[in-house]
């Protein structure tokens, strides 16, 4: 009977280790997402500053519109891909 108890305890310990590892990966993923968001915001503001520096005053709205459209399309593709991946589960 002690062997049966040992067999049932082993999966519980490995399940706990698996849960800890999963939570650590989730925390790391959250940290990386936060870093990515900060980097994207800084990239966005730098791109707008570059438009202000290198594009003539009368063409700035057109360049900003094109840049914002590209950002919007990339975001829509990312959202669509994420929703598709989540709906498969």
């Amino acid at each position: 009977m002690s062997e049966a108890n040992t067999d049932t305890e082993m999966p519980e310990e490995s399940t706990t280790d698996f849960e800890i590892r999963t939570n650590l990966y989730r925390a790391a993923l959250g940290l990386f997402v936060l870093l990515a968001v900060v980097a994207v915001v800084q990239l966005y503001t730098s791109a707008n500053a570059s438009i202000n520096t290198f594009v003539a005053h009368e063409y700035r709205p057109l360049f900003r519109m094109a840049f914002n459209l590209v950002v919007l399309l990339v975001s829509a593709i990312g959202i669509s891909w994420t929703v598709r991946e989540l709906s498969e589960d």
Side-chain angles (χ1 to χ4, degrees), residues 35-51:
L35 290 173
V37 167
V38 169
V40 165
V41 168
Q42 289 183 351
L43 174 68
Y44 188 80
T45 56
S46 294
N48 277 327
S50 297
I51 289 171

Side-chain angles (χ1 to χ4, degrees), residues 5-70:
N5 289 339
T6 306
D7 290 341
T8 58
E9 290 178 13
M10 294 289 282
E12 289 178 10
E13 290 176 5
S14 63
T15 302
T16 304
D17 291 341
F18 178 74
E19 289 174 358
I20 291 171
R21 184 177 296 140
T22 301
N23 288 336
L24 286 174
Y25 282 135
R26 286 181 181 165
L29 178 63
L31 178 64
F32 289 134
V33 166
L34 180 64
L35 290 173
V37 167
V38 169
V40 165
V41 168
Q42 289 183 351
L43 174 68
Y44 188 80
T45 56
S46 294
N48 277 327
S50 297
I51 289 171
N52 285 337
T53 302
F54 295 112
V55 178
H57 181 69
E58 59 269 8
Y59 298 114
R60 287 179 189 165
L62 293 173
F63 275 85
R64 284 193 185 121
M65 180 187 67
F67 177 69
N68 289 333
L69 181 63
V70 168

